[in-house]
Amino acid sequence: MKWLHNLLKGLSLTTALFIFQACYGTPEWLHDASLQFKVVAADTGEPLKDVYVSSRVQAADNLDWIPCGRTNEDGEAHVFFGTAEGQDPQFRFEMLDSDYQVKDTVIVDTKYRTVEIQLVKAE
Amino acid sequence: MLRQPLFRLFRANETKVHELNYLFWECTTRCNLHCRHCGSDCMTVSQDIDMPLADFLRALDTIPSKERPPEFTVVLTGGEPLLRPDIAEVGRAIRQRGVGWSMVSNGWFYDEAMHRKLMGAGLGALTISLDGLGERHDWMRGRNGSFERAERAIAIAAKEPRLNFDVVSCINRRNIGELDALHDKLQGLGVKQWRIFTIIPIGRAKDDPDMQLTDAEFVRLMDFIQTRREAAAAAKDGRMNVTFSCEGYLGPYERKVRRNPFFCRAGITIASVLIDGRICGCPNIDRDLFSQGNIYQDSLWEVWQHRFEPFRDRRWTRKGICADCPVWRDCQGNGMHNWHGDGGQVIHCHYRHVI
């Protein structure tokens, strides 16, 4: 009965029963988060294509930026990224071979939504 | 006293509901290694071509999104999934559908660049195989250098906070003497979870006597795991969790060598799409005996909903050595992957090792 299944699932004491891995499979998938970015030029508001988006979980020099997307013709990129407790994800936006400056930003609220990013041209 | 009867009720309910939350995709049967125990007999060049991603996605899309629980995962397996040049594209396409994905790998190709690529594609869980130290692992895997590559992969994955990662080891007659050393090695690499298997006599392991533990060796393995688990529970210092796999019913060792009682979930919460499109339980289950349909003729979802009877009603397993077994109610004929060939009888009984 589905209601019993859902009830047991909802009880914290019995979640262990649902944490499983098939014999020759993997452990449970760690949930990550996703966001939609829209990258535009700060001066004109025009969408920017081929902006590379990468992420990392904390401002630590020993952690690499992980590429997680590239903007399309509309300046949009739907990215997935890992989160870690107590650490806000950082994102980097970089348009290669362009006048636009690299932009780093921290996202505190990782609830799925569209976030606009403006890139500024170097002086 | 009540725990086991309650668990039987829970299992019966899970079977009735059969919520699909774990879908293997056998995305290739090519492999760069030649493991002695390979149940799939994978080769460098396979007679099966890799299934196009689009075909798998069409099958995945037959599952209504409202029927997919939040923990629904696609598990990429093979062969060696990293032999697919489009592996990152595969991961992203699955993730784009709001579905998590994970992968089982021998680790040969898993370097920093691959790790970054797969994390960026939404990889959420990973399992790497290690079957001994140094030459012993190489021997098992059929290729020199395998240990070095696996060790590198393990070191990379173990330090990634965004990955649920474990190492699996298949214990056989050649490596059972290395349990403590393997344990220390993995703990030293930062591994948090170590899952241990034995090898059933199928595929390339079928006629290899080195692959099958004796009863005494099996009990030794159980005692090792139990001791390590008890020590970790007592110490509470975050040391590596050692667990036996879900491969079979263990009688007196139930709940001592793994957290949950035995419950073969193949066809109950687990399905697979095999290399040729056949739909089955786990990929190591005899596909000629137990396939339930094919994605090229059937809807994966419809097959899941309306077939899989042998998986959901296991009374048919009451034959051969299981016919009069006193623990059948809890064992139900052992894990489904222990039935091969003509299906006349289970080919391997874990319980008989320990009684």
Side-chain angles (χ1 to χ4, degrees):
Chain A
M1 291 160 284
K2 189 90 177 181
W3 67 266
L4 179 59
H5 169 88
N6 291 336
L7 175 68
L8 289 176
K9 226 181 191 181
L11 291 172
S12 59
L13 288 175
T14 55
T15 52
L17 290 173
F18 296 90
I19 296 171
F20 63 91
Q21 50 219 36
C23 280
Y24 299 93
T26 66
E28 190 184 2
W29 168 67
L30 271 190
H31 290 247
D32 58 11
S34 71
L35 283 170
Q36 175 95 338
F37 288 109
K38 186 171 176 77
V39 184
V40 300
D43 50 357
T44 63
E46 289 297 307
L48 294 173
K49 185 186 169 193
D50 290 333
V51 175
Y52 288 86
V53 187
S54 47
S55 75
R56 65 184 186 188
V57 287
Q58 63 187 49
D61 293 338
N62 63 335
L63 280 189
D64 288 333
W65 290 98
I66 308 272
C68 54
R70 192 165 83 181
T71 57
N72 60 18
E73 312 58 34
D74 298 320
E76 291 168 346
H78 184 191
V79 305
F80 300 96
F81 54 94
T83 56
E85 200 173 317
Q87 294 171 10
D88 298 321
Q90 290 182 288
F91 292 91
R92 171 165 285 184
F93 302 86
E94 190 170 3
M95 192 172 184
L96 301 179
D97 302 320
S98 77
D99 298 332
Y100 291 100
Q101 293 178 335
V102 173
K103 182 179 177 104
D104 290 348
T105 191
V106 174
I107 302 285
V108 176
D109 176 6
T110 58
K111 193 172 72 224
Y112 180 73
R113 64 196 190 287
T114 299
V115 177
E116 184 174 287
I117 300 291
Q118 296 183 352
L119 294 190
V120 175
K121 277 196 177 158
E123 304 266 326
Chain B
M1 281 286 288
L2 279 182
R3 273 207 307 189
Q4 199 54 28
L6 284 175
F7 187 78
R8 288 185 200 127
L9 285 174
F10 163 76
R11 190 182 60 199
N13 193 62
E14 285 295 283
T15 304
K16 194 168 177 150
V17 171
H18 54 263
E19 177 185 78
L20 178 62
N21 56 31
Y22 201 95
L23 179 65
F24 281 101
W25 180 26
E26 188 178 59
C27 62
T28 184
T29 49
R30 293 177 296 127
C31 190
N32 60 310
L33 302 183
H34 193 79
C35 304
R36 288 179 178 268
H37 61 315
C38 183
S40 307
D41 202 11
C42 293
M43 307 280 195
T44 313
V45 177
S46 173
Q47 64 187 15
D48 297 302
I49 61 162
D50 293 353
M51 181 187 290
L53 171 60
D55 294 359
F56 174 74
L57 292 176
R58 251 194 311 276
L60 181 62
D61 288 342
T62 64
I63 306 170
S65 53
K66 65 177 169 44
E67 299 290 347
R68 287 197 313 247
E71 65 272 18
F72 185 97
T73 304
V74 170
V75 183
L76 303 185
T77 186
E80 172 51 48
L82 293 178
L83 278 175
R84 280 190 73 118
D86 64 344
I87 194 72
E89 186 194 339
V90 165
R92 262 192 302 275
I94 293 169
R95 231 17 228 110
Q96 295 281 0
R97 282 157 168 77
V99 170
W101 70 279
S102 64
M103 188 177 71
V104 186
S105 172
N106 61 39
W108 182 278
F109 299 106
Y110 202 91
D111 58 12
E112 286 285 356
M114 180 64 75
H115 174 68
R116 281 196 296 277
K117 188 162 80 164
L118 296 181
M119 292 305 297
L123 179 68
L126 176 69
T127 292
I128 301 278
S129 305
L130 190 76
D131 297 320
L133 297 172
E135 282 173 4
R136 212 157 256 133
H137 178 80
D138 287 357
W139 170 84
M140 188 69 166
R141 295 276 148 177
R143 187 168 177 181
N144 288 341
S146 302
F147 174 78
E148 246 178 72
R149 295 286 185 117
E151 186 183 29
R152 177 186 67 181
I154 290 167
I156 292 168
K159 70 174 192 275
E160 175 57 66
R162 299 171 293 168
L163 203 54
N164 196 357
F165 169 65
D166 74 353
V167 171
V168 298
S169 300
C170 286
I171 302 304
N172 56 76
R173 304 209 66 204
R174 289 265 196 124
N175 63 14
I176 190 158
E178 278 189 331
L179 288 172
D180 287 313
L182 251 179
H183 177 278
D184 294 345
K185 177 66 165 174
L186 292 175
Q187 188 144 268
L189 287 171
V191 174
K192 295 283 179 243
Q193 306 176 87
W194 183 27
R195 195 160 32 119
I196 293 177
F197 288 83
T198 60
I199 298 167
I200 59 163
I202 61 171
R204 289 204 277 264
K206 191 158 174 268
D207 299 312
D208 188 341
D210 277 339
M211 295 294 107
Q212 314 305 316
L213 296 177
T214 63
D215 290 351
E217 287 165 341
F218 189 90
V219 169
R220 179 179 164 193
L221 176 62
M222 293 296 106
D223 289 340
F224 167 82
I225 298 171
Q226 181 179 353
T227 302
R228 289 291 185 170
R229 287 179 69 80
E230 287 171 354
K236 291 188 179 36
D237 57 2
R239 59 183 71 178
M240 184 170 69
N241 173 43
V242 184
T243 186
F244 191 64
S245 72
C246 60
E247 67 187 63
Y249 178 73
L250 303 170
Y253 285 99
E254 285 293 318
R255 298 181 200 264
K256 290 184 179 155
V257 297
R258 55 193 174 207
R259 182 163 45 179
N260 292 326
F262 175 67
F263 180 5
C264 173
R265 289 175 172 271
I268 294 172
T269 59
I270 299 167
S272 60
V273 173
L274 302 175
I275 190 74
D276 56 4
R278 278 187 280 183
I279 301 164
C280 198
C282 307
N284 53 336
I285 288 171
D286 190 322
R287 53 195 66 188
D288 292 329
L289 269 185
F290 293 113
S291 285
Q292 300 297 297
N294 193 301
I295 64 163
Y296 293 107
Q297 284 99 45
D298 308 301
S299 153
L300 171 62
W301 181 241
E302 290 301 312
V303 170
W304 178 258
Q305 288 293 86
H306 303 298
R307 300 187 200 172
F308 281 92
E309 300 90 352
F311 295 82
R312 295 170 191 168
D313 182 350
R314 303 213 183 164
R315 285 176 291 182
W316 62 268
T317 66
R318 273 270 204 199
K319 54 185 168 182
I321 60 171
C322 300
D324 299 308
C325 182
V327 300
W328 185 89
R329 277 181 79 188
D330 293 316
C331 174
Q332 300 210 318
N334 215 1
M336 287 286 289
H337 64 287
N338 292 286
W339 291 81
H340 275 260
D342 63 10
Q345 121 146 322
V346 70
I347 62 166
H348 188 67
C349 173
H350 292 69
Y351 180 63
R352 286 190 163 205
H353 280 307
V354 299
I355 52 169

